[in-house]
Amino acid sequence: MSETSSCSPKPRVGLFVTCLVDVFRPTVGFAAVKLLEDAGCAVEVPAAQTCCGQPAYNSGDRADARDLARRVIAAFEDFDYVVAPSGSCGGIIKRHYPPLFDGDPAWQARAERLSAKTYELVSFLTDVLGVERVIARYPDTVTYHDSCSGLRELGIKSQPRRLLATVADLDLREMAESEVCCGFGGAFCVKYPELSNRMVSEKAAHIQASEAGTLLAGDLGCLLNMAGKLQREGAAIRVRHIAEVLAGMADAPAIGEPDRGDAPCK
Amino acid sequence: MQVTSQTFKSNAGAALRDAALQRALKNLKAGFPGKRAAAIAKLPEFDQLRAAGRDLKNHVLEHLDFYLERFEAKVIEQGGQVHWARDAAEARQIVLDICRSVAARRVTKGKSMISEEIGLNEFLEAHGIQPVETDLGEYIIQLRHEHPSHIIAPAIHLNRDQVADAFHAHHGPYGFTERNEEPRALMNEARQVLRQQFLSADVGITGANFCVAETGATVIVTNEGNGDLTQILPRVHIILASIEKMVPTLEDVGALLRLLTRSATGQEITVYTTFSSGPRRPEDLDGPEQFHVVLLDNGRSGMVGGEFQDMLRCIRCSACMNHCPVYGAIGGHAYGWVYPGPMGSVLTPQLIGIDAASQLPNASTFCGRCEEVCPMHIPLPKMMRHWREREFEQHLSPAGVRFGLSAWAFFAKRPKLYRIAAGFGAWLLRRLGGRKGRIKHLPLAGGWTAWRDLPAPQGQTFQQQWAAQRGARS
Ligand code: SF4
C-alpha cells in the first residue's frame, strides 16, 4: 500500500466528522485524521459540514433530510473519498442519500457519485487502502459491539477485529449477542426511554459478562448510550471508540470518565 | 378487538414490568432464533431460495388479478365456492351467512390470523354461534379471553402455570377436576376436550398459507393436526385467505414452504402440510360437503403498486418478530392490534390507518435485524420510515418532535451558526458534567438520564480545535 501512495498523489479524503464526535468526543476525529494520514491520505475537514440529516430522515421529515443531504453533497463531492468515523452516518450517505432523491435525477446522480466514494473509517482503511496492521499498543482486554448500521448496511464485521488483532497487548474477548442493537437508535432512546433502557441493560449485562476491561465500537451514539448505562450501574469498564485504540490515542480519559487534569486532546 | 396501538408506549412499559410475561419471553428468545439459524446453516442455498421467493411473489403481485381469477375458476371447477370480501365487515357477514345456511351452532377453527383481523370470533358469538379454537395455543388464549401475541405461537406470552390455571378453570365439566401441570398431561387434556368439539361442529374454518392458482388448492401448515380435523370432520369447510396468498403452481408452494418452515420454527417441514381442494368427491373417504374460500382484500389491493407493496410478499413466518429486540422485550400485546412486531408495524397502519397506529413504525431503532432475517427480503425498516413520512406529512407527529426537529434543522442548515451553537452546547454540557465527566440528571433529556448517565463532552468541539490547530499551521 505504501508503494502506491508514494508514487501517486495522495488520495484526498474529506473527513465527515459527525455531529456527535464534533461535540462529544473530538479525540475520535483526531484519531481518524491520524489513521488516515498514516495510511497515506491527505485529510481535509470541510467547515461547512454539520450533520448528515439522519434525525430528519428517520423522523419522516424528507424535505429537511434532502436539504441537509444536498449540503453534504456540495461540501464533499470534490474529494476522492469521504470518510466518517461512524457506520451510521456513513450508511446514511452511502445507502440512503441516493433513494432520498427519487424523482430528482440531477441530485440523485450527484448523490450516487458521493455514495460510491463514501466509507466508514475502519472499513475504508482495510477494504480500500489495504491497511493490514496498525502501530499501536493497548494493554487491556477489550470487547467489541457491532453497531447495527455498520454491520447490516455496510458489512462491517471482520474489519475492526482484523485491525484490533494487530494492536500490541490487546486481548479481544467477544461478548454474547454482539450483533444485537444497544437500544440507542437516535431519537428512539428519548422517545421510548423504557424500551431503550431494557435494550441497553441487556447489552450492559453481556458486556460485563465478557469480563473485558474496555468496550469498543465504531459509532459514538451507541458508545454514549452503553457508557452511560455501564457507568450508571457502576461498572468499571472503560468505553472508547475503536479509532482511538487503533490510532494509539487512547490516553485521553475514556468516554464519560473524569478528567485526569491533562488536556483532553492535543 | 379494541385497538390500543396508540398507547403503545404505556403498553410497553406495563409489559416490561409484567414479571410473568418477561419469564415467558425468555423462552421465545432462547427458542426460535437458534432453531432458525441451525436450520439455515444446513441449507447452503438458502439465500438463492430467498431471492427466488422474493421474485416469485413480486411476479404474483404484478399479476395478482390474473392469479386470483385463475384460482377462483379452479375452485369453482372443483365444486367449491369463492366469496370476495372487500373489508372485514363483508368477510364476517359472508361467514355468518354460510353458517346460518346450515343452521350451524358450533364452529371449529384452525389457526387463522385473518380471523383475528376481521374479529370473527366476537362476531359469531354475538350471533349465537360458538367458535372453538383448536390450535392448542389459540385454544388456551380463547379460554383466557385474550388475543394472540404472536402470529405463529399465539400463547407465547404465557407460562405453563397460567395454562394449567386456565384448564383447571374450564375443564371441570369435561371430567378433569385435578389441576395438571405436566405438559403431556395438559396436552392430553386439551386433546380430549377438543375431540368432543370436533365431532359436534357444523362448520370448520381454517386459514391458508398459500392458495395455488394452478389447482385451486389451499395449503396450511401445522404441527398439531388440528387443522386437518377442523376441515375434514364438519359438513362445511370455510377457508379465510387474504388476496396476496396466491402462488402460481404447486412447485412454487414447495419453494416457499422451504423458506417458511425454516424461518418460522427451524423445521425442515412441519408435521402436517395439508392441501385442500374442493368438497368431498364421491370416491373420497371423507371431507366436507361444502368448500368455501373467502378472499379478503381489506386494503391490500391499495398497497399494490405503492411504496408498501413489498409487504404483500410476507409469508407470516414470524422471523422478524422473533429477532426483534423490541418485540423480544415486550411481546405482542403491546402493539395493540392483531399483527405485532416489525411486520405488524408496517401492516397495521395500512389496515387500521396511520392515525390509529403511528406509534408502531416509530418504535424501532432501525437496527435492521428484521430485514436481515426476513425470508422474503422485505425492507421492513424502509417501510416503517415511509410511515413516519406519511405521519409527518399529515402533521400527525407530536408537536414537541416537530418543534425540536425544526429548531435543530434551522441550525444544521447554517454551518457558522451551528458551529457556535455546537461550541456552546459542548461547553455547557462539559460544565454540567463537572469533575465527574458525566451528567446524572439533565432537564429536557430526562428520557436519557432517568436510566443512564450522559457522558460529558471533552471540552471544545472538534471543529474548534481543528480550526485552531490547522489554522495555526497554515
Ligand atoms: S415480514 Fe418477513 S420475517 Fe416477518 S413474518 Fe413476514 S415474511 Fe416473515
Side-chain angles (χ1 to χ4, degrees):
Chain A
M1 177 233 106
S2 53
E3 265 171 53
T4 49
S5 59
S6 60
C7 43
S8 58
K10 288 182 172 185
R12 276 183 71 228
V13 172
L15 181 69
F16 188 83
V17 181
T18 79
C19 48
L20 288 178
V21 165
D22 183 43
V23 169
F24 281 90
R25 194 89 183 147
T27 301
V28 176
F30 288 100
V33 171
K34 177 167 189 299
L35 285 165
L36 291 167
E37 288 183 342
D38 286 355
C41 300
V43 182
E44 290 173 45
V45 183
Q49 61 181 299
T50 60
C51 168
C52 66
Q54 185 161 181
Y57 183 57
N58 284 349
S59 304
D61 177 1
R62 243 178 133 84
D64 278 326
R66 276 212 191 116
D67 189 323
L68 288 162
R70 277 193 283 262
R71 288 162 194 278
V72 172
I73 293 169
F76 283 90
E77 63 191 342
D78 289 336
F79 290 99
D80 297 330
Y81 297 104
V82 181
V83 174
S86 157
S88 175
C89 312
I92 288 284
I93 299 175
K94 200 167 183 67
R95 301 278 176 243
H96 297 273
Y97 273 12
L100 190 56
F101 290 103
D102 278 349
D104 182 348
W107 275 101
Q108 189 156 53
R110 289 171 74 177
E112 266 157 14
R113 280 196 297 274
L114 191 75
S115 155
K117 55 188 177 184
T118 298
Y119 294 88
E120 176 276 340
L121 173 68
V122 178
S123 53
F124 178 70
L125 293 173
T126 56
D127 302 352
V128 178
L129 299 178
V131 172
E132 277 165 14
R133 53 182 46 256
V134 292
I135 303 184
R137 186 172 161 269
Y138 192 77
D140 199 4
T141 48
V142 309
T143 193
Y144 183 84
H145 164 71
D146 295 285
S147 290
C148 300
S149 312
L151 175 71
R152 298 195 181 85
E153 293 189 331
L154 303 176
I156 299 166
K157 178 73 186 179
S158 66
Q159 300 92 325
R161 289 171 174 80
R162 266 174 11 229
L163 291 187
L164 285 175
T166 69
V167 174
D169 301 332
L170 183 149
D171 175 17
L172 182 68
R173 284 194 200 163
E174 295 288 355
M175 68 175 100
E177 300 192 359
S178 72
E179 296 187 356
V180 174
C181 181
C182 74
F184 172 62
F188 175 86
C189 68
V190 283
K191 280 203 281 187
Y192 299 95
E194 280 186 279
L195 272 171
S196 173
N197 176 53
R198 158 58 67 85
M199 289 159 75
V200 74
S201 301
E202 288 188 9
K203 180 57 69 175
H206 289 312
I207 293 165
Q208 286 174 269
S210 77
E211 297 190 342
T214 299
L215 165 70
L216 300 179
D219 264 280
L220 194 55
C222 316
L223 287 163
L224 292 172
N225 182 39
M226 294 183 288
K229 188 69 200 177
L230 287 164
Q231 284 153 5
R232 177 65 58 93
E233 289 182 353
I237 293 173
R238 287 162 294 281
V239 180
R240 293 185 184 279
H241 191 286
I242 182 172
E244 301 171 35
V245 169
L246 295 180
M249 289 172 63
D251 36 1
I255 295 170
E257 294 289 323
D259 209 337
R260 290 182 304 238
D262 40 12
C265 183
K266 273 288 143 75
Chain B
M1 170 174 185
Q2 206 198 334
V3 183
T4 60
S5 300
Q6 284 310 65
T7 53
F8 174 83
K9 228 169 132 165
S10 51
N11 304 351
L16 288 168
R17 288 184 289 274
D18 181 338
L21 173 64
Q22 292 299 324
R23 248 192 310 140
L25 287 171
K26 286 221 166 64
N27 303 333
L28 169 107
K29 265 184 77 181
F32 285 124
K35 287 184 185 153
R36 171 190 172 274
I40 284 166
K42 280 192 276 177
L43 192 71
E45 69 270 33
F46 189 74
D47 270 334
Q48 281 132 276
L49 209 54
R50 260 172 114 177
R54 176 197 55 205
D55 296 348
L56 172 73
K57 270 285 196 174
N58 282 346
H59 165 84
V60 170
L61 294 171
E62 296 292 319
H63 305 94
L64 191 55
D65 49 348
F66 170 80
Y67 286 113
L68 283 166
E69 282 171 12
R70 187 82 209 226
F71 174 76
E72 179 186 35
K74 281 284 162 186
V75 172
I76 294 171
E77 212 178 285
Q78 296 177 85
Q81 298 179 48
V82 174
H83 310 264
W84 301 90
R86 257 171 306 200
D87 55 24
E90 278 190 15
R92 288 191 296 256
Q93 194 58 46
I94 291 165
V95 174
L96 180 64
D97 290 346
I98 298 170
C99 289
R100 282 187 169 156
S101 73
V102 295
R105 292 208 325 272
R106 178 173 292 160
V107 169
T108 43
K109 294 182 68 215
K111 197 174 156 16
S112 156
M113 290 307 293
I114 298 297
S115 163
E116 297 291 332
E117 182 180 325
I118 65 174
L120 185 60
N121 285 3
E122 292 88 339
F123 184 76
L124 290 179
E125 273 166 13
H127 289 86
I129 296 167
Q130 185 201 358
V132 180
E133 295 289 349
T134 65
D135 170 272
L136 184 59
E138 291 281 353
Y139 176 68
I140 293 164
I141 58 172
Q142 191 184 24
L143 291 183
R144 289 173 50 95
H145 304 288
E146 287 182 315
H147 291 279
S149 66
H150 187 278
I151 60 173
I152 68 164
I156 191 91
H157 57 287
L158 296 175
N159 298 289
R160 199 204 303 166
D161 49 324
Q162 293 163 298
V163 177
D165 288 343
F167 281 15
H168 188 53
H170 289 91
H171 287 174
Y174 300 91
F176 295 96
T177 45
E178 295 284 298
R179 182 176 181 279
N180 271 317
E181 251 208 53
E182 202 268 316
R184 246 173 210 296
L186 286 170
M187 197 104 95
N188 202 30
E189 203 176 302
R191 213 171 256 148
Q192 292 192 43
V193 172
L194 283 173
R195 189 128 303 178
Q196 303 175 35
Q197 314 279 356
F198 281 127
L199 293 170
S200 60
D202 308 293
V203 174
I205 300 178
T206 64
N209 289 94
F210 307 105
C211 297
V212 191
E214 177 189 39
T215 65
T218 65
V219 187
I220 55 171
V221 292
T222 67
N223 281 318
E224 295 166 11
N226 63 303
D228 295 35
L229 295 176
T230 301
Q231 66 183 55
I232 285 172
L233 294 177
R235 278 182 294 146
V236 178
H237 179 198
I238 302 175
I239 292 134
L240 300 173
S242 46
I243 53 172
E244 82 282 12
K245 293 279 148 72
M246 294 299 134
V247 290
T249 67
L250 274 178
E251 220 163 298
D252 299 326
V253 172
L256 293 178
L257 275 178
R258 296 176 80 197
L259 287 167
L260 172 62
T261 56
R262 284 173 176 83
S263 302
T265 51
Q267 289 168 290
E268 282 169 13
I269 190 149
T270 38
V271 179
Y272 298 86
T273 304
T274 311
F275 293 74
S276 4
S277 28
R280 176 181 192 163
R281 294 170 205 79
E283 65 275 21
D284 285 348
L285 291 176
D286 50 24
E289 291 160 22
Q290 295 181 26
F291 182 90
H292 299 269
V293 184
V294 180
L295 287 173
L296 176 71
D297 183 345
N298 212 18
R300 289 167 173 82
S301 55
M303 296 165 79
V304 176
E307 54 192 355
F308 300 105
Q309 173 174 317
D310 291 344
M311 193 62 224
L312 294 175
R313 289 203 300 266
C314 176
I315 53 174
R316 304 289 189 268
C317 72
S318 81
C320 54
M321 60 197 76
N322 297 341
H323 291 78
C324 174
V326 172
Y327 180 96
I330 56 174
H333 286 155
Y335 291 78
W337 197 57
V338 174
Y339 299 105
M343 57 82 71
S345 297
V346 175
L347 199 56
T348 304
Q350 177 73 35
L351 298 182
I352 67 173
I354 182 65
D355 49 333
S358 63
Q359 284 280 313
L360 305 183
N362 278 288
S364 162
T365 62
F366 287 154
C367 80
R369 235 180 149 206
C370 50
E371 180 175 0
E372 184 181 33
V373 296
C374 174
M376 302 307 288
H377 278 301
I378 298 174
L380 294 152
K382 178 174 126 186
M383 287 188 292
M384 286 184 229
R385 190 182 287 107
H386 284 329
W387 278 123
R388 296 185 192 184
E389 286 164 2
R390 299 267 180 110
E391 183 198 18
F392 191 85
E393 282 159 19
Q394 295 172 26
H395 298 273
L396 296 167
S397 329
V401 171
R402 297 185 78 87
F403 174 77
L405 260 183
S406 55
W408 162 85
F410 177 87
F411 284 102
K413 290 176 194 171
R414 292 169 177 77
K416 283 204 185 107
L417 211 56
Y418 180 89
R419 282 204 300 280
I420 296 169
F424 175 71
W427 172 83
L428 182 69
L429 290 174
R430 168 93 177 162
R431 292 281 307 239
L432 292 172
R435 291 189 162 277
K436 284 195 301 290
R438 49 185 186 260
I439 300 158
K440 293 233 174 261
H441 175 71
L442 186 64
L444 296 177
W448 181 289
T449 53
W451 309 102
R452 64 215 119 180
D453 295 352
L454 179 65
Q458 288 177 304
Q460 287 190 313
T461 65
F462 177 84
Q463 290 282 16
Q464 286 171 326
Q465 296 185 44
W466 180 260
Q469 277 188 26
R470 299 281 154 141
R473 249 194 244 176
S474 54

